[in-house]
Amino acid sequence: MRTGLIGWRGMVGSVLMERMRTEGDFDGLDVSFFSTSSPGRAGPNVGQGSQALLDAYDLNELAGFDVLLTCQGGDYTKSVYAGLRSHGWKGVWIDAASGLRMDSETTLVLDPLNRDVIDAAWDDGCRTYAGANCTVSLLLMGLHGLIQTGHVQWVST
């Protein structure tokens, strides 16, 4: 699957990149990097050599990818996502921003807390996924065991 990463230089994206490098997630992955500010410049080398950064606003370029993973932020998502889908793109959109969290077509990702929900959504054809709020995600992952065993009924942050 052709995978495009957008927003990989910011705080969230750089942490994701480091984890993906550490876990070997780039091995065998056909990945390209997009930029909203400097398309054409050299992109990062994740073991496949450095390629020129692609234009993150070019819907035709984006539509050539099976998976788009973005940590670019809600404004970017709002400016690109609907247009890409209206162009007929049927790929997988994975987003760290809040822009699509409440959309009925979006599945929230709180793995491992809701892995069964993610798997069921995938099986049902869901192709839009978004991370939950960072504070909530960290809180729920930290309390996952207590929630699973019924020791925590509800949480207020």
Side-chain angles (χ1 to χ4, degrees), residues 85-127:
R85 288 291 191 210
S86 70
H87 261 85
W89 183 68
K90 304 255 188 269
V92 177
W93 181 274
I94 304 169
D95 204 325
S98 63
L100 298 172
R101 286 182 189 149
M102 301 305 290
D103 189 298
S104 64
E105 301 293 316
T106 301
T107 296
L108 288 180
V109 177
L110 285 164
D111 187 36
L113 195 62
N114 73 334
R115 181 57 191 252
D116 57 334
V117 172
I118 297 165
D119 291 342
W122 179 263
D123 291 343
D124 287 343
C126 179
R127 295 298 178 258

Side-chain angles (χ1 to χ4, degrees), residues 18-80:
E18 185 57 37
R19 289 198 61 186
M20 289 180 75
R21 281 186 176 109
T22 300
E23 297 290 325
D25 293 337
F26 289 110
D27 299 345
L29 185 65
D30 181 8
V31 65
S32 296
F33 294 88
F34 285 82
S35 175
T36 59
S37 60
S38 53
R41 289 193 175 166
N45 183 348
V46 293
Q48 306 166 6
S50 181
Q51 303 169 20
L53 295 171
L54 302 172
D55 184 349
Y57 291 106
D58 184 337
L59 295 182
N60 291 323
E61 189 77 59
L62 290 164
F65 286 78
D66 302 299
V67 177
L68 293 171
L69 192 159
T70 176
C71 300
Q72 186 63 36
D75 288 341
Y76 172 77
T77 297
K78 289 174 188 171
S79 70
V80 171

